[in-house]
Amino acid sequence: MSDKDTDDKKLSVSTKKTLTLRPSGLSQGTVRQSFSHGRTKQVVVETRKRRINKPGEVKPAVAEQPAQPPTPRPAPARDTVARPVEAEAAHANLSQEEVDARRRALEEAKARDVEDKKRREEESTKRAEELAKRLAEREETERRRAEEEARQAAEEAERQLQEAAVVRREDGTAAPEREESKPKELKPFERKKAAEPEKPSRPKGGDDRRRTKLTLTNALDEDGNVRGPSLAAMRRRQEKARRAAMQSGPREKIVREVTLPETITLQELAARMSERSVDVIKYLMQQGQMMKPGDVIDADTAELIATDMGHTVKRVSEADVEEGLFSGEDSAADMKPRPPVVTIMGHVDHGKTSLLDAIRNANVVAGEAGGITQHIGAYQIEKDGSKITFIDTPGHEAFTAMRARGAQATDIAILVVAADDSVMPQTIESINHAKAAGVPIIVAINKIDLPAADANKVRTELLQHEVFVESMGGEVLDVEVSAKTGKGIDKLLEAILLQSELLELKANPDRPAEGIVIEAELDKGRGPVATVLVNRGTLKTGDVLIVGDEWGRVRALLNDQGEQVPEATPSTPVEVLGLNGTPMAGDRMAVVENEARAREIADYRQRVAREKAMARQAGSRGSLEQMMSQLQSSDLREAAIVIKADVGGSMEAITQALEKLGTEEVQARVVHSGVGAITESDVSLAAASNAPILAFNVRASKQARDAAEREGIEIRYYSIIYDLVDDMKAVMSGLLAPERRETFLGYAEILQVFNVSKVGKVAGCLVTEGRVERGVGVRLLRDNVVIHQGKLSTLKRFKDEVSEVQAGQECGMAFENYQDIREGDVIECFRVEEIKRSL
């Protein structure tokens, strides 16, 4: 291709017209801009003609549109459209398909322009009609309002004239003429002012030329651009109304019935009385008390305030949440027979658990450390179609509370006494517990198979404690048994069934369950587990329980064989799973209707327990002056310890055993006691209190062991309560101050006093009784009155230092830091020895 053809092609491309969709009403031109150094630049500028609206003209649409829509141009013919496209194709060397595609695109663009223009015209017309309709409705509303106001003003004027006429007629005077009938005489300046035409004034808030201009805001404004009151004006109006209401007179007194709990804040009291807190505080200030709305007052003070302010009072207690928890007696028609609850009691190693093993055909003793029972066990057997519930209690002296709790929850007490050992201290204690609970006793004389067994001796010794067996003319049943050979077991069970028939034990199973916690523990896999003995009612899976200060929903019930059961009837011992915390052994259990009430009761009990603990702590601590005076007046020493046990009963027994070890000089202070494994928080608490951790049948987790090793806290593990009590006894004995024992040595009489340089006064003495030793304690007696007590610094015989001087010999003696000695004084020598004490 030649250079000429190339130039012609470039020229044709540069001069061809670009296809655009520029809206109508625009004109395009070019402007040349000049810059420094002679540089210029040509810029394309588009201009739009602005339409100026006349004041009375209504604009048909919000967007600016031409006054008259331009006459649409007829669509170009196919050949008209095709010619520029074909000319362009000829220059660009386009194929026929590309040419057809461009032609179709151009036709579609022109068709869309026509449709868009038509739609815009329709929308503009519609908006103009709506605006005109709205303006007409507003004008009609304003006209009606003005007519109504004029009519009301005329009626009011007419009514006032009529009332004035009636008053004049009643007074006997002539009725006044109407103002319209009698012309009013005007003054000169008033006549001049009336002659002048009144200037048209623009009403406040009315429309003016600026407001009649149609804008987007005016078109969309529903209120017609009427300016409303400002926020400040509304506030001033409300404040004015409030002041007027306050100044209108005293409000009517509202008398209320005020419900008062045990404690209440002033703000809450004012709210319940419908009074202002300021008024309540003013009342207290008049009584000479300065208080704040958040201060807490008691119920008596609140009652005085409410009564003086004219209200009635209703006193309630927070303990009312427990009302109806343990309902009253059941009717006789609902009562049904229930199995007896039998508690096995007696001295340690008298064979209580072995006897129960023989009855149940199970080996429970093998599972107990040291061969002694350290937990309360509850079991149920069946004999001749009748069920019997057994509760096994420990016999060790530390488990006094467990025996008492077992006696309270039982119907019949079996007193196990070894035939070869007879009555022992815990036997006597068990008798006292059974008598205090008011339950009948059956004496089981165990170990009758031993050669040293003497049943008559047991019966005779029981007479001393007012236990009269049948063979001795009493009413108490006694059975000779042998847990080892099984002798007399059937007779014992028959005696139990006979005694239960005499008692006529009955309970109502068709009611919410109630019971008592026999034992409680924290199991690692199952969580808090409570062994519950149901007293009355039926305990079912899914019931909501309140046990002491813990609550929960029953997830599962397990019998003494570890089998899951759906329900527990009266006199049935079961393990309950699902509590949110570990209760204390001996807590009462009750079923409530819903979780809300259970949570409310538990929160109340926990709050009461915290307040009691804080009160005890505050009472033991007291003020700083009290603490200092106690430290000066008493030599009490405390051994701080942290106790963790497997069950609540063992924890209670250990705590009570350690309390019994305490004396006036030393005692064990339990910083914390709990059920379950040792955790890091226990170690932290022990480290803060500098206390060892005593673990009874529990172990520490790895994290707790590591923390104890870091903090240097000793963890002692025990499985027998004997060992724990003995170790703590030794520790507390070490805290005891040693006993000071004074031994008299002899007397010496001062014959003469010498002044020795660099030494001071030296007494020349004669030992009259016993002996004197250097370094021992001495007392200086003058007229049999102790003048000084100290030590000998010098003891000489002639010129030599000696360790002791016997009676009848002379010696020289000097005191440490004391010089007031005279002839005739007597020196008493003694030795002080410290002897280690033990509990």
Side-chain angles (χ1 to χ4, degrees):
M1 185 181 295
S2 62
D3 296 339
K4 184 177 181 181
D5 295 338
T6 303
D7 295 339
D8 293 341
K9 187 174 182 180
K10 288 181 180 180
L11 181 62
S12 64
V13 171
S14 62
T15 57
K16 72 178 180 178
K17 188 176 181 180
T18 306
L19 293 176
T20 61
L21 297 178
R22 184 181 299 109
S24 59
L26 295 177
S27 60
Q28 186 172 353
T30 59
V31 176
R32 180 170 296 278
Q33 292 181 335
S34 299
F35 301 95
S36 61
H37 303 286
R39 292 182 293 121
T40 60
K41 181 179 179 182
Q42 189 171 2
V43 182
V44 179
V45 179
E46 292 183 353
T47 59
R48 183 192 299 271
K49 293 183 65 178
R50 179 179 180 185
R51 175 166 181 172
I52 300 174
N53 296 326
K54 297 180 180 180
E57 184 180 358
V58 179
K59 197 172 184 179
V62 175
E64 290 188 2
Q65 297 291 343
Q68 293 181 355
T71 304
R73 299 177 182 176
R78 179 176 179 85
D79 56 320
T80 309
V81 177
R83 280 197 298 271
V85 174
E86 291 174 355
E88 183 180 356
H91 288 287
N93 294 328
L94 300 176
S95 62
Q96 186 62 35
E97 294 179 357
E98 293 176 346
V99 171
D100 294 340
R102 290 195 177 191
R103 184 184 298 110
R104 286 195 300 272
L106 185 59
E107 292 174 355
E108 291 175 359
K110 291 182 178 292
R112 282 195 300 271
D113 286 345
V114 174
E115 292 177 359
D116 292 345
K117 185 176 181 181
K118 185 177 179 181
R119 186 176 64 254
R120 286 195 299 271
E121 291 176 354
E122 293 176 353
E123 291 177 355
S124 300
T125 306
K126 186 176 180 180
R127 282 196 295 269
E129 292 176 354
E130 291 178 356
L131 182 59
K133 183 178 180 182
R134 193 180 305 165
L135 292 175
E137 291 177 353
R138 185 180 302 163
E139 292 176 356
E140 181 66 19
T141 303
E142 292 291 338
R143 185 183 60 79
R144 291 178 180 177
R145 185 184 298 115
E147 291 177 356
E148 182 68 20
E149 291 176 355
R151 185 183 61 79
Q152 292 178 358
E155 291 178 354
E156 181 67 20
E158 185 67 23
R159 185 182 60 80
Q160 292 178 359
L161 289 175
Q162 292 176 359
E163 291 178 356
V166 170
V167 172
R168 290 296 183 99
R169 283 194 298 270
E170 290 177 354
D171 294 341
T173 58
E177 296 182 2
R178 298 192 57 163
E179 295 181 359
E180 291 82 2
S181 60
K182 192 173 184 178
K184 185 177 180 180
E185 189 173 342
L186 300 179
K187 296 181 181 180
F189 69 92
E190 290 179 351
R191 286 196 298 269
K192 181 179 181 182
K193 185 176 181 181
E196 296 178 357
E198 186 178 356
K199 296 182 180 179
S201 60
R202 188 172 58 195
K204 186 176 182 181
D207 294 338
D208 54 4
R209 183 172 178 270
R210 186 178 303 150
R211 293 184 180 275
T212 56
K213 183 177 181 181
L214 188 62
T215 61
L216 182 60
T217 305
N218 293 339
L220 300 180
D221 190 4
E222 295 281 343
D223 298 332
N225 259 341
V226 177
R227 182 179 178 182
S230 64
L231 185 60
M234 294 178 64
R235 287 178 178 173
R236 288 193 297 271
R237 189 180 301 115
Q238 293 174 358
E239 182 67 19
K240 184 177 179 181
R242 188 181 67 83
R243 286 198 301 268
M246 292 178 62
Q247 295 174 1
S248 60
R251 293 182 300 173
E252 183 181 355
K253 183 70 176 180
I254 302 176
V255 179
R256 293 185 177 274
E257 184 182 21
V258 184
T259 302
L260 296 180
E262 296 177 358
T263 59
I264 190 173
T265 62
L266 289 178
Q267 188 172 7
E268 179 64 20
L269 176 62
R272 295 187 181 187
M273 295 189 302
S274 297
E275 302 280 356
R276 296 188 306 164
S277 301
V278 178
D279 297 336
V280 179
I281 293 174
K282 286 181 180 178
Y283 171 81
L284 291 173
M285 290 175 64
Q286 293 174 359
Q287 306 299 323
Q289 297 185 21
M290 299 294 295
M291 302 187 75
K292 301 185 296 297
D295 290 344
V296 179
I297 58 176
D298 57 2
D300 294 335
T301 307
E303 183 176 0
L304 290 174
I305 296 173
T307 305
D308 289 349
M309 299 187 79
H311 301 279
T312 58
V313 174
K314 178 183 177 183
R315 294 282 290 269
V316 297
S317 173
E318 292 185 359
D320 293 345
V321 297
E322 298 184 354
E323 286 187 357
L325 188 61
F326 300 101
S327 55
E329 297 295 331
D330 298 317
S331 62
D334 298 332
M335 307 294 274
K336 296 180 181 179
R338 64 173 178 85
V341 179
V342 181
T343 300
I344 301 179
M345 307 172 73
H347 192 71
V348 63
D349 291 337
H350 276 203
K352 299 181 296 299
T353 306
S354 301
L355 181 61
L356 185 59
D357 289 345
I359 295 173
R360 298 178 59 239
N361 295 324
N363 189 7
V364 179
V365 177
E368 294 286 354
I372 63 171
T373 301
Q374 301 179 116
H375 309 88
I376 284 185
Y379 314 96
Q380 194 171 52
I381 67 166
E382 188 169 348
K383 171 68 175 176
D384 298 335
S386 300
K387 293 183 178 180
I388 304 175
T389 301
F390 286 94
I391 297 177
D392 187 17
T393 62
H396 187 263
E397 61 179 352
F399 297 96
T400 303
M402 286 191 183
R403 285 192 296 278
R405 188 162 53 249
Q408 292 171 0
T410 189
D411 301 316
I412 302 171
I414 295 182
L415 184 64
V416 179
V417 185
D420 62 338
D421 207 7
S422 193
V423 177
M424 299 299 287
Q426 271 65 58
T427 309
I428 301 170
E429 191 177 294
S430 300
I431 294 172
N432 295 332
H433 287 321
K435 288 183 177 180
V439 296
I441 299 175
I442 298 178
V443 178
I445 304 176
N446 196 17
K447 301 183 182 181
I448 200 66
D449 57 319
L450 296 179
D454 188 356
N456 290 327
K457 181 183 177 183
V458 174
R459 296 186 180 99
T460 304
E461 291 188 2
L462 287 175
L463 293 176
Q464 302 176 5
H465 304 285
E466 300 180 356
V467 177
F468 306 105
V469 297
E470 285 186 337
S471 59
M472 295 289 183
E475 298 180 353
V476 177
L477 298 176
D478 65 306
V479 183
E480 296 181 0
V481 297
S482 174
K484 189 174 182 180
T485 62
K487 178 183 176 181
I489 300 296
D490 292 336
K491 291 183 179 180
L492 179 62
L493 294 178
E494 290 175 0
I496 293 172
L497 294 176
L498 177 61
Q499 189 69 49
S500 64
E501 288 179 3
L502 295 176
L503 295 175
E504 296 182 355
L505 303 173
K506 293 183 179 180
N508 180 15
D510 303 324
R511 54 157 296 153
E514 294 180 10
I516 187 172
V517 177
I518 300 298
E519 193 58 272
E521 63 178 334
L522 181 63
D523 190 270
K524 185 176 181 181
R526 300 182 297 173
V529 180
T531 303
V532 176
L533 178 65
V534 180
N535 293 335
R536 56 180 181 173
T538 302
L539 182 61
K540 303 176 183 179
T541 305
D543 287 345
V544 180
L545 295 180
I546 177 72
V547 186
D549 56 359
E550 305 292 345
W551 71 278
R553 185 181 290 275
V554 179
R555 288 193 289 110
L557 298 174
L558 305 177
N559 60 11
D560 57 335
Q561 304 294 332
E563 301 172 351
Q564 190 165 345
V565 293
E567 62 183 20
T569 55
S571 300
T572 304
V574 288
E575 287 186 344
V576 178
L577 278 66
L579 298 175
N580 63 343
T582 306
M584 296 297 295
D587 288 342
R588 295 185 66 184
M589 177 271 296
V591 174
V592 295
E593 56 272 13
N594 51 42
E595 293 185 2
R597 183 158 188 238
R599 189 181 295 109
E600 183 181 10
I601 297 174
D603 292 343
Y604 164 70
R605 291 181 174 178
Q606 290 172 4
R607 184 170 64 254
V608 170
R610 283 195 303 268
E611 291 175 355
K612 289 182 179 179
M614 292 174 63
R616 286 196 303 269
Q617 186 177 5
S620 61
R621 183 184 303 159
S623 63
L624 183 61
E625 293 79 4
Q626 294 174 354
M627 183 177 65
M628 295 301 295
S629 61
Q630 288 175 2
L631 290 176
Q632 292 174 1
S633 61
S634 64
D635 297 330
L636 179 63
R637 299 186 180 184
E638 293 182 338
I641 54 175
V642 174
I643 300 175
K644 293 302 290 286
D646 54 346
V647 295
S650 299
M651 180 190 69
E652 182 184 14
I654 293 170
T655 305
Q656 292 180 355
L658 295 180
E659 288 178 356
K660 291 181 180 179
L661 290 178
T663 63
E664 294 180 355
E665 299 181 28
V666 62
Q667 66 180 10
R669 180 169 62 91
V670 180
V671 177
H672 172 67
S673 60
V675 177
I678 301 173
T679 60
E680 291 182 84
S681 61
D682 298 328
V683 177
S684 301
L685 183 59
S689 305
N690 195 20
I693 299 176
L694 306 183
F696 187 76
N697 285 336
V698 294
R699 291 294 180 268
S701 61
K702 185 179 183 306
Q703 294 82 359
R705 288 197 303 270
D706 296 342
E709 186 176 353
R710 288 194 308 269
E711 300 290 343
I713 298 300
E714 181 183 9
I715 301 177
R716 293 192 178 186
Y717 300 98
Y718 300 94
S719 58
I720 302 175
I721 197 170
Y722 291 131
D723 301 337
L724 187 148
V725 174
D726 291 342
D727 284 359
M728 285 307 301
K729 188 174 181 180
V731 171
M732 295 171 65
S733 298
L735 294 177
L736 286 173
E739 182 181 354
R740 295 172 59 88
R741 183 175 299 176
E742 184 179 302
T743 305
F744 172 75
L745 296 178
Y747 285 118
E749 183 181 356
I750 300 177
L751 302 178
Q752 193 173 358
V753 178
F754 303 95
N755 287 322
V756 180
S757 59
K758 298 183 180 179
V759 176
K761 291 184 178 182
V762 176
C765 305
L766 174 65
V767 180
T768 59
E769 184 181 350
R771 67 181 186 277
V772 294
E773 295 179 359
R774 185 177 59 187
V776 299
V778 292
R779 295 188 184 94
L780 182 64
L781 306 180
R782 186 174 298 165
D783 297 330
N784 292 326
V785 177
V786 178
I787 302 301
H788 171 70
Q789 180 174 335
K791 288 185 179 181
L792 283 179
S793 61
T794 302
L795 180 61
K796 289 187 177 184
R797 174 127 174 98
F798 300 108
K799 294 185 179 181
D800 300 329
E801 288 279 349
V802 293
S803 58
E804 67 176 38
V805 178
Q806 297 294 332
Q809 297 179 351
E810 294 182 352
C811 61
M813 302 171 67
F815 293 89
E816 287 184 358
N817 303 323
Y818 190 75
Q819 301 294 323
D820 185 16
I821 55 179
R822 304 176 186 176
E823 295 180 4
D825 292 347
V826 177
I827 298 175
E828 178 185 357
C829 293
F830 61 92
R831 180 186 293 115
V832 177
E833 297 176 351
E834 293 185 353
I835 300 175
K836 189 176 181 181
R837 298 165 58 197
S838 61
L839 293 174

